[in-house]
Amino acid sequence: MKVNWVAYARGYVWVKLIGGAPERFVNAAARESIDLWSISFTPAGELKFGVSIPDFFRLRPLLRECGCRTRLISRHGLPFRLARLSRRKTFAGGMLAFVLALFVLSTLIWDVRVEGNSTIPEEKIRQAAKAEGIYDYQWSFRLGDASTLSQRLALRLPEAAWVGVDKRGTSVTITVVESTKPEKKALDGPRHLVAKTDAVVTRIVAESGRPKVERNDRVRKGDILISGILGDERNSKQVISKGKVMGLVWHEYRIVSPLQSSTRNLTGESQERSYLVIGSRALQISGYGGVRFGQSETRTTIRRAQLGNKTLPFGIMKEQEREVVEIGQKRTPEEAKEVGLAQARAELLAKAGKDAVIKAENILHEHTENGKVMLTVLFEVEQSIEVERPIP
């Protein structure tokens, strides 16, 4: 017989038979339906076998009948382990308390996440979830079925097309699919296209409306470029002006570019710290008294414990602090000038629009003072100059 969990639960012993008639003892045990297993003889000719605890106490009449004695070789099974633990009550109590605490903590909801929302405020979703019993530190067995919770949340959030609730271990994820609504467009009324800045017109394309300017005309801010009034004083009609007007616009920039710049670089030196994470709290367990860096950056990783598909509220958090140094870099006045001009060009094109093109640039003033190159630059930019203005 192989030792199985039943034998382990009942307890069993390995026994050595001394003296008497071993063969007669084995036959008598078989007659009384006493299960002996792994029967063998030792080099000294003594019988050795395994027997369960209940059957061991049934051997006494047979031993007297056969004139044998027994000697215990070893004890195994749950009863003996419990007996050992009973002599170490503090350890047994601590183990029991740990298992109980682990079970209790694993039945709590430690994390509620909201995904998929863009227009619906997260706070509103959390309030609706809390009304249905979904919140941090809630007992997981008090939550209803996931499909039922999804339906109830959908009723509380009419802006959502669908709401899903997924419970995995000690965390709950609420996924919201928002309903798409057509954008409300303002009703278009008659309007002009006017100049938004002083410029010289370079190109004009009128889709509707009447052009009021031509190429190379100089216009001021507010001048009508494409009129929304068709006809004359007696017979006129107001329309929505549409079109594209490009013009040359002058922008004056004052640029300050330092002669010395600095970059942050890693030295390769680092130190690590470990924390025991329980819920939202962390207890440092290693990395005390490390080297303190003048400048550093820290990278954090958290690994939660898993119990099957469940994520437990325990884990290890590791912090790696890496030393950083700032390395200065000197520039020549010409290099500083080019860096400043490049930054100004990028900022100007981003501000002027996607169709903007820099046609010319003229440095009006340049000097170096206090480790900085100072420039005054006039940029000539071809850009869109039209803007809508309603007709009263």
XYZ file of all heavy atoms in Angstrom, residues 259-294:
273
model
N 24.881 81.270 -23.933
C 26.110 80.690 -24.500
C 26.465 79.363 -23.849
O 27.338 78.646 -24.356
C 27.277 81.680 -24.327
C 27.184 82.967 -25.149
C 28.325 83.907 -24.772
C 27.213 82.660 -26.630
N 25.847 79.035 -22.733
C 26.145 77.778 -22.048
C 24.823 77.070 -21.743
O 23.885 77.663 -21.215
C 26.918 78.023 -20.749
C 27.362 76.717 -20.072
C 28.378 76.969 -18.967
O 28.803 78.089 -18.759
N 28.776 75.916 -18.277
N 24.767 75.776 -22.100
C 23.593 74.961 -21.824
C 24.011 73.763 -20.977
O 25.202 73.453 -20.849
C 22.948 74.479 -23.131
O 23.844 73.615 -23.825
N 23.055 73.101 -20.380
C 23.361 71.937 -19.546
C 22.420 70.796 -19.893
O 21.249 71.014 -20.237
C 23.229 72.286 -18.054
O 21.907 72.692 -17.768
N 22.933 69.568 -19.824
C 22.140 68.363 -20.056
C 22.279 67.434 -18.857
O 23.334 67.395 -18.202
C 22.597 67.629 -21.325
O 23.995 67.310 -21.214
C 22.388 68.492 -22.556
N 21.218 66.682 -18.569
C 21.227 65.727 -17.453
C 21.634 64.350 -17.976
O 21.041 63.841 -18.931
C 19.848 65.652 -16.807
C 19.472 66.929 -16.071
C 18.013 66.951 -15.684
N 17.666 65.843 -14.792
C 17.759 65.888 -13.476
N 18.203 66.977 -12.876
N 17.407 64.857 -12.729
N 22.643 63.745 -17.335
C 23.162 62.444 -17.748
C 23.279 61.524 -16.546
O 23.528 61.971 -15.411
C 24.542 62.591 -18.412
C 24.479 63.373 -19.703
O 24.212 62.824 -20.759
N 24.719 64.676 -19.617
N 23.103 60.207 -16.797
C 23.241 59.193 -15.747
C 24.706 58.830 -15.585
O 25.439 58.654 -16.573
C 22.437 57.946 -16.101
C 20.919 58.137 -16.239
C 20.274 56.845 -16.729
C 20.304 58.554 -14.921
N 25.143 58.691 -14.324
C 26.533 58.318 -14.056
C 26.730 56.806 -14.021
O 27.859 56.328 -14.097
C 26.985 58.903 -12.706
O 26.216 58.303 -11.652
C 26.795 60.403 -12.679
N 25.665 56.040 -13.878
C 25.776 54.582 -13.734
C 25.691 54.127 -12.290
O 25.498 52.934 -12.011
N 25.842 55.049 -11.342
C 25.712 54.709 -9.925
C 24.232 54.680 -9.537
O 23.451 55.539 -9.962
C 26.452 55.730 -9.059
C 27.952 55.773 -9.293
C 28.636 54.491 -8.855
O 28.137 53.866 -7.893
O 29.642 54.116 -9.472
N 23.875 53.685 -8.727
C 22.473 53.582 -8.310
C 22.387 52.837 -6.986
O 23.358 52.187 -6.557
C 21.641 52.849 -9.368
O 22.074 51.506 -9.502
N 21.252 52.922 -6.348
C 20.975 52.160 -5.142
C 19.509 51.729 -5.179
O 18.665 52.402 -5.776
C 21.258 52.978 -3.888
C 20.421 54.238 -3.748
C 20.730 54.977 -2.465
O 21.518 54.530 -1.656
N 20.091 56.111 -2.252
N 19.239 50.590 -4.560
C 17.892 50.028 -4.590
C 17.320 49.942 -3.181
O 18.051 49.703 -2.218
C 17.899 48.633 -5.231
C 18.190 48.650 -6.725
C 17.989 47.285 -7.356
O 17.714 46.331 -6.596
O 18.101 47.179 -8.586
N 16.020 50.124 -3.098
C 15.278 49.982 -1.851
C 14.070 49.091 -2.113
O 13.456 49.173 -3.181
C 14.828 51.343 -1.313
C 15.976 52.234 -0.879
C 15.444 53.551 -0.308
N 14.873 54.371 -1.367
C 15.565 55.259 -2.085
N 16.863 55.416 -1.855
N 14.983 55.977 -3.008
N 13.750 48.244 -1.151
C 12.599 47.346 -1.266
C 11.595 47.663 -0.177
O 11.966 48.025 0.952
C 13.040 45.873 -1.165
O 13.935 45.553 -2.201
N 10.314 47.520 -0.523
C 9.222 47.803 0.410
C 8.226 46.654 0.370
O 7.979 46.061 -0.692
C 8.498 49.098 0.049
C 9.364 50.330 0.071
C 10.161 50.674 -1.018
C 9.373 51.171 1.183
C 10.948 51.810 -0.998
C 10.159 52.321 1.201
C 10.946 52.628 0.113
O 11.719 53.745 0.134
N 7.658 46.338 1.510
C 6.531 45.419 1.589
C 5.258 46.244 1.465
O 5.014 47.141 2.276
C 6.551 44.648 2.909
C 5.347 43.728 3.168
C 5.288 42.626 2.124
C 5.419 43.132 4.567
N 4.453 45.953 0.435
C 3.245 46.728 0.164
C 2.040 45.970 0.689
O 1.844 44.782 0.368
C 3.092 46.988 -1.345
C 1.797 47.742 -1.627
C 4.281 47.772 -1.865
N 1.249 46.611 1.515
C -0.015 46.056 2.015
C -1.091 47.102 1.740
O -1.119 48.146 2.386
C 0.050 45.724 3.512
C 1.197 44.746 3.794
C -1.272 45.145 3.999
C 1.391 44.439 5.260
N -1.948 46.813 0.761
C -2.964 47.781 0.374
C -2.303 48.997 -0.237
O -1.551 48.901 -1.201
N -2.559 50.176 0.316
C -1.964 51.416 -0.173
C -0.787 51.874 0.683
O -0.302 52.988 0.516
C -3.035 52.524 -0.208
O -3.555 52.732 1.095
N -0.328 51.031 1.588
C 0.785 51.386 2.468
C 2.022 50.567 2.110
O 1.907 49.449 1.611
C 0.414 51.175 3.936
C -0.765 52.038 4.385
C -1.079 51.814 5.851
N -2.175 52.654 6.300
C -2.044 53.891 6.736
N -0.829 54.426 6.793
N -3.092 54.604 7.122
N 3.178 51.125 2.402
C 4.445 50.456 2.093
C 5.369 50.540 3.299
O 5.475 51.592 3.949
C 5.112 51.104 0.878
N 6.032 49.426 3.594
C 6.976 49.336 4.707
C 8.341 48.970 4.151
O 8.503 47.922 3.510
C 6.514 48.276 5.712
C 7.469 47.982 6.881
C 7.593 49.204 7.776
C 6.978 46.778 7.682
N 9.337 49.824 4.369
C 10.672 49.578 3.834
C 11.309 48.397 4.558
O 11.299 48.304 5.778
C 11.553 50.812 3.981
C 12.927 50.661 3.318
C 13.717 51.954 3.312
O 13.216 52.986 3.728
N 14.946 51.891 2.834
N 11.885 47.462 3.753
C 12.505 46.260 4.324
C 13.975 46.145 3.956
O 14.678 45.312 4.523
C 11.748 44.995 3.877
C 11.671 44.909 2.342
C 10.349 44.954 4.476
C 10.987 43.657 1.832
N 14.467 46.935 3.007
C 15.894 46.883 2.672
C 16.291 48.207 2.037
O 15.446 49.005 1.634
C 16.190 45.725 1.706
O 15.608 45.968 0.440
N 17.607 48.411 1.963
C 18.135 49.622 1.343
C 18.302 50.780 2.294
O 18.326 51.940 1.870
N 18.424 50.471 3.606
C 18.614 51.552 4.581
C 20.034 52.105 4.485
O 20.987 51.389 4.175
C 18.379 51.039 5.997
C 16.951 50.649 6.278
C 16.566 49.311 6.217
C 16.000 51.602 6.597
C 15.247 48.938 6.471
C 14.691 51.244 6.851
C 14.320 49.905 6.797
O 13.034 49.551 7.039
N 20.174 53.380 4.777
C 21.501 53.980 4.897
C 22.310 53.958 3.631
O 23.525 53.833 3.661
N 21.650 54.048 2.468
C 22.367 54.050 1.208
C 23.065 55.373 0.955
O 22.939 56.340 1.706
N 23.820 55.415 -0.143
C 24.543 56.624 -0.520
C 23.528 57.673 -0.966
O 22.608 57.380 -1.722
C 25.542 56.321 -1.662
C 26.281 57.596 -2.061
C 26.512 55.242 -1.219
N 23.672 58.898 -0.472
C 22.787 59.984 -0.859
C 23.396 60.725 -2.043
O 24.528 61.226 -1.960
C 22.579 60.946 0.322
C 21.945 60.279 1.530
C 20.560 59.758 1.209
N 19.959 59.078 2.350
C 18.808 58.439 2.308
N 18.144 58.383 1.175
N 18.334 57.847 3.385
N 22.656 60.792 -3.143
C 23.135 61.462 -4.337
C 22.714 62.926 -4.299
O 21.647 63.272 -3.785
C 22.571 60.806 -5.599
C 22.933 59.348 -5.736
C 21.955 58.387 -5.924
C 24.263 58.943 -5.678
C 22.280 57.061 -6.060
C 24.603 57.609 -5.808
C 23.612 56.665 -5.992
N 23.556 63.775 -4.883
C 23.205 65.181 -4.965
C 21.983 65.394 -5.845
O 21.042 66.104 -5.492
